Amino acid sequence: MPLTLAVALALLGAPVLWALLRWRAALAGLAWLLPAALFVVFATRWAPVRDSGAVVEVWPWIPSLGISLALRADGLSLLFALLITGIGTFIFLYAARYLHGHADLARFFARLTLFMGAMLGAVLADDLIALLVFWELTSLASFLLIGFTPEQAASRRSAQQGLLITVGGGLALLAGVVLLGQATGTLRVSELLAMGSLAELPAAPWIIVLVALGAFAKSAQVPLHAWLPNAMVAPTPVSAFLHSATMVKLGVYLLARLNPAFGEHALWTGLLLTAGLATMLTGALLSLRETDLKRVLAYSTVVSLGTLVTLIALPHPLAASALVAFLIVHALYKACLFMVAGIVDHEAGTRDSTQLRGLARRMPLTAGIALLAGLSMAGLPPFVGFVAKELVYEAQLTATASWLPVAIAIAANAVMVAVAGVVTVRTFWGPLRPTPQTPHDPPLALWLGPALLAALGLVLGLAPGLAGALVASAASAVAGHATGATLSLWHGLTPMLALSALTFALGLAILRGWDRLHRVLVAREAIRRHGPDAAYDRAMNGLARLATWQTQRIQSGSLRRYVGATLAVVGLALGATLFTQGALAWPSLAGAASLHALLPALLVLAALAVVRAEGFVRGIVAAGMVGFGLALVFLFHGAPDLAFTQFSVEAVAIVVLLAVVARMPFATPDRRPAGQRRRDALIAIGFAAVATLVLLSVLATPFDARLSDFFRAASVPEAHGRNLVNVIIVDFRALDTLGEITVLALAALAAAAVLAGTRRRAADRAEDTE
């Protein structure tokens, strides 16, 4: 199956699932077949990708701008596609049972499927514009999923926060993409990577900063991370799918994809390394303040995202293999643990870690699944988490001479060991505590997915070579060249093993002192008052105050002020452009002294009459004189059709305006003070002077006959008409003409409504007097 068809099926699955589940909600139990089928499709693409390096499909989209719908599957994008559809299969199966009986089940699955399709399009896109389209679609789908329960204020706020931060980052990314396209002449990712290093581009610093902002917002890097923990208000299937295994890694994917192009730039390395390390520390610290199992896991995801960004910044080839291995490991155990947290909440009625103990007595199967995933998260052998942690430490030790990244990694990973202990050991072992509901192991549909993911973590740990080829292919795409790293469970007695043992020991110490650390950090109100989440609220409140102030200053309710401000700004901008760009010119006045010169004088006299008019009626008549004078200009300069149109429009306009004004309670005298009159006169004279200079400069420009020649040559063969004006209006400017007709029709309807309203009021007054 072509890649394009697979992405199209994922996107079209959203309305199809919505219709099917609206018809029969029981079909939700079969929704997992869609991502499972897509997983099989992408799995079959592995052999061509392995043999040729990449599979590319290109469809014309906007050829005039060099934009195409290009999809490309290489090791990295195929890995993401397999994670999206593979974990998506378990999420769909889990969600059908978790939300069983929910009134909006059809809406939920439609949004979840839309998100899956958008993610597939984003990771497979080989054109940056197409990637941006899918990128923003993931933000929209995430907004809809986080805000799945809009009746709850927390859901609305979290959905809005996630949308504003990720879309704001998307705007920065758009600017970076535009700069990148202008600097290189292409928007195809494969062509950009084929150019080699782009670090020497003059615009490289701007491109790096803008692309990094977009990726940091999507992948929750400090200080743009607050939306991720807050998104835990969404249903657990959303948390497990969007915010552990897929969407939050989209920014990491983009950074990894562009790393071969900008990896040699010092700004790229410094920016990613700083953001990654700061994110690791911040996520680890804030996870200690939480008691909600999902929020604890969310902050551990922030730590993991910081780790991935840090690995991208490291120049050593081993870092790419560590990145890919850790990405797979994190997706497996984090999706599993999120679903376990949902099971606990679903069966026990709470996910507050302070109220949960000893659930293994009532939920032995769930406890076993959680323990397997927790051991992988803690990085203990023989689980694949241990393999990935060894690679991470080895990459950090060999890629940098500083111990700071290694020290931060040890501290952050120690907290992750403690988090794994809180979610698995403290929740399921120890004395049983009473819960709002009597817990028990869930039905098959809820535990099957987590069980398979947890078992896969053990299988890949015992036989890491099963994923070796996929990891090597993806790592080569990240590094920009072939990497020789292999996955192995045992490397001997190495410094990395010592660091792993140290990490585990520190993690146990943190787990033992978890309650005390939690109390100390919760007591620090400064974290809550001055953290990024509070900064977001202050920014939103400040934006509202700014909008209020701006509205009060600009929206005064005076049409005269609106027109005056508009003319003043336009006049100043045009005048500044004329003088600064050297565009001011003076045309030849040869032949200007003729009878036609009387027409401008007539227009000036009519304009003076408008200005001197003491009432609306006189002003309308004088304005009509200006319009008729302009029609005479058209008539004497070889445009009789325009002249007759102008005559007709002016006649109708005068009649309509007089009919309206006669029924409106306008104050006849002009009550403007002298100062306001002088200001208005200055604006009018200044704008008229600038407009005159613009027209004179245009007349001084040599006439370019290319457009006229085109219309003259194309009117008969293409439009089958000899009247050039009619052909231009009806054929070549058809949409423009349709727009003008629409505007005139709306104006006529508005005038008719005004006249009808005045007649009704007059009739009502007549009845009252009788």
Side-chain angles (χ1 to χ4, degrees):
M1 179 185 293
L3 299 175
T4 310
L5 182 57
V7 175
L9 285 177
L11 293 173
L12 292 174
V16 171
L17 272 180
W18 179 83
L20 286 176
L21 298 184
R22 291 276 293 180
W23 170 58
R24 184 164 296 177
L27 294 176
L30 300 177
W32 63 272
L33 292 174
L34 175 61
L38 292 174
F39 177 84
V40 173
V41 169
F42 290 117
T44 60
R45 309 303 292 177
W46 165 241
V49 168
R50 179 194 57 200
D51 297 337
S52 61
V55 175
V56 182
E57 296 175 9
V58 181
W59 300 87
W61 187 11
I62 313 176
S64 59
L65 298 179
I67 299 173
S68 58
L69 181 58
L71 300 182
R72 181 173 180 267
D74 63 356
L76 183 62
S77 56
L78 187 61
L79 170 63
F80 269 87
L82 291 172
L83 286 176
I84 292 165
T85 53
I87 293 179
T89 300
F90 300 132
I91 298 296
F92 275 60
L93 178 65
Y94 179 91
R97 188 64 184 84
Y98 188 86
L99 296 173
H100 178 70
H102 198 286
D104 289 327
L105 197 61
R107 180 164 56 94
F108 176 83
F109 273 100
R111 295 176 179 182
L112 198 64
T113 307
L114 175 66
F115 172 80
M116 181 181 67
M119 278 296 304
L120 289 174
V123 299
L124 292 171
D126 192 42
D127 186 276
L128 288 175
I129 298 300
L131 186 148
L132 275 169
V133 171
F134 288 116
W135 182 285
E136 295 303 322
L137 189 56
T138 62
S139 296
L140 176 61
S142 175
F143 166 77
L144 296 174
L145 287 166
I146 297 172
F148 183 64
T149 53
E151 64 275 7
Q152 299 177 7
S155 181
R156 296 193 301 271
R157 179 190 179 276
S158 299
Q160 181 192 61
Q161 184 183 36
L163 182 70
L164 291 179
I165 292 177
T166 56
V167 169
L171 292 176
L173 177 59
L174 173 61
V177 166
V178 172
L179 286 178
L180 183 58
Q182 289 179 340
T184 60
T186 182
L187 292 170
R188 290 284 297 275
V189 176
S190 55
E191 293 176 1
L192 290 171
L193 298 180
M195 295 178 183
S197 176
L198 302 177
E200 300 301 323
L201 290 176
W206 289 103
I207 296 171
I208 289 171
V209 170
L210 292 170
V211 169
L213 279 176
F216 289 171
K218 186 73 80 171
S219 287
Q221 298 298 292
V222 169
L224 304 175
H225 66 280
W227 70 269
L228 175 58
N230 291 336
M232 295 303 108
V233 299
T236 296
V238 176
S239 304
F241 195 27
L242 276 69
H243 307 121
S244 65
T246 51
M247 175 179 165
V248 291
K249 290 196 177 77
L250 187 54
V252 173
Y253 167 82
L254 180 63
L255 295 175
R257 176 60 75 197
L258 296 179
N259 184 61
F262 295 105
E264 296 181 4
H265 201 291
L267 179 60
W268 176 272
T269 302
L271 191 60
L272 268 60
L273 190 61
T274 302
L277 294 177
T279 302
M280 292 170 67
L281 275 179
T282 303
L285 180 68
L286 295 180
S287 65
L288 299 172
R289 301 181 74 247
E290 300 296 334
T291 58
D292 184 296
L293 291 181
K294 284 176 61 176
R295 288 184 65 87
V296 171
L297 289 171
Y299 276 113
S300 72
T301 297
V302 172
V303 176
S304 300
L305 293 171
T307 303
L308 292 169
V309 171
T310 301
L311 289 171
I312 296 173
L314 297 180
H316 197 278
L318 189 60
S321 299
L323 166 75
V324 175
F326 185 70
L327 188 146
I328 296 173
V329 170
H330 177 262
L332 294 178
Y333 73 68
K334 192 55 65 68
C336 174
L337 290 178
F338 264 114
M339 287 190 277
V340 167
I343 291 172
V344 170
D345 188 23
H346 190 272
E347 302 300 332
T350 182
R351 56 176 188 260
D352 187 343
S353 61
T354 62
Q355 302 180 23
L356 296 169
R357 293 290 189 280
L359 292 181
R361 300 181 183 182
R362 300 287 180 85
M363 308 171 67
L365 179 60
T366 307
I369 295 170
L371 184 61
L372 289 177
L375 292 174
S376 184
M377 181 178 178
L380 294 178
F383 293 88
V384 71
F386 174 77
V387 178
K389 184 184 292 185
E390 292 275 288
L391 274 177
V392 170
Y393 281 150
E394 186 176 357
Q396 291 173 335
L397 286 173
T398 55
T400 177
S402 172
W403 273 88
L404 180 62
V406 179
I408 292 176
I410 291 173
N413 286 328
V415 174
M416 293 305 96
V417 172
V419 169
V422 168
V423 177
T424 59
V425 178
R426 284 169 58 103
T427 298
F428 290 96
W429 308 99
L432 181 64
R433 288 187 180 180
T435 54
Q437 299 172 194
T438 302
H440 54 81
D441 277 323
L444 174 67
L446 286 180
W447 65 258
L448 180 61
L452 292 176
L453 291 174
L456 190 58
L458 178 58
V459 170
L460 291 180
L462 294 172
L466 294 176
L470 186 59
V471 170
S473 178
S476 299
V478 175
H481 54 78
T483 59
T486 58
L487 300 183
S488 176
L489 179 62
W490 178 249
H491 294 86
L493 299 177
T494 62
M496 287 71 73
L497 182 62
L499 292 180
S500 295
L502 176 61
T503 301
F504 184 70
L506 289 175
L508 290 180
I510 294 173
L511 180 60
R512 290 191 61 182
W514 181 278
D515 294 331
R516 184 168 59 256
L517 288 171
H518 172 75
R519 288 193 297 269
V520 170
L521 290 173
V522 169
R524 297 295 184 268
E525 283 296 311
I527 298 178
R528 182 183 60 82
R529 289 198 306 266
H530 304 295
D533 204 29
Y536 169 81
D537 288 331
R538 287 194 294 270
M540 291 297 101
N541 293 333
L543 183 63
R545 289 194 297 270
L546 175 63
T548 301
W549 173 83
Q550 185 185 48
T551 302
Q552 291 173 348
R553 297 288 299 174
I554 297 176
Q555 301 293 330
S556 62
S558 171
L559 181 60
R560 180 180 288 112
R561 289 189 62 181
Y562 298 159
V563 174
T566 302
L567 294 179
V569 171
V570 173
L572 288 173
L574 285 175
T577 303
L578 279 177
F579 287 99
T580 58
Q581 300 298 320
L584 188 62
W586 193 264
S588 173
L589 299 179
S594 65
L595 291 177
H596 291 171
L598 295 176
L599 292 177
L602 176 62
L603 290 174
V604 171
L605 292 175
L608 291 174
V610 174
V611 173
R612 299 292 299 171
E614 297 181 356
F616 280 101
V617 174
R618 295 181 182 180
I620 291 171
V621 174
M625 293 171 57
V626 176
F628 285 124
L630 187 60
L632 291 176
V633 173
F634 292 149
L635 182 62
F636 291 126
H637 284 80
D641 50 350
L642 291 179
F644 292 136
T645 302
Q646 183 71 21
F647 280 129
S648 303
V649 169
E650 286 299 327
V652 173
I654 291 173
V655 172
V656 171
L657 287 174
L658 289 175
V660 172
V661 168
R663 291 172 170 81
M664 298 296 290
F666 289 132
T668 300
D670 187 354
R671 303 181 186 276
R672 288 178 297 166
Q676 189 176 8
R677 292 190 183 194
R678 286 192 293 269
R679 185 196 65 192
D680 292 347
L682 181 63
I683 293 174
I685 293 172
F687 182 81
V690 170
T692 302
L693 292 176
V694 170
L695 290 176
L696 291 175
S697 301
V698 170
L699 289 175
T701 304
F703 180 71
D704 189 345
R706 287 179 298 174
L707 195 59
S708 303
D709 295 340
F710 166 76
F711 286 131
R712 200 178 291 108
S715 62
V716 174
E718 294 188 17
H720 308 290
R722 298 185 181 277
N723 188 317
L724 289 182
V725 174
N726 288 350
V727 167
I728 292 171
I729 292 174
V730 176
D731 292 280
F732 295 109
R733 286 182 52 205
L735 292 178
D736 189 18
T737 304
L738 177 62
E740 294 172 353
I741 293 172
T742 304
V743 171
L744 292 175
L746 291 175
L749 290 174
V754 170
L755 293 175
T758 56
R759 282 195 291 267
R760 283 196 298 270
R761 287 194 294 271
D764 294 339
R765 287 195 297 270
E767 291 179 1
D768 293 339
T769 55
E770 293 176 0

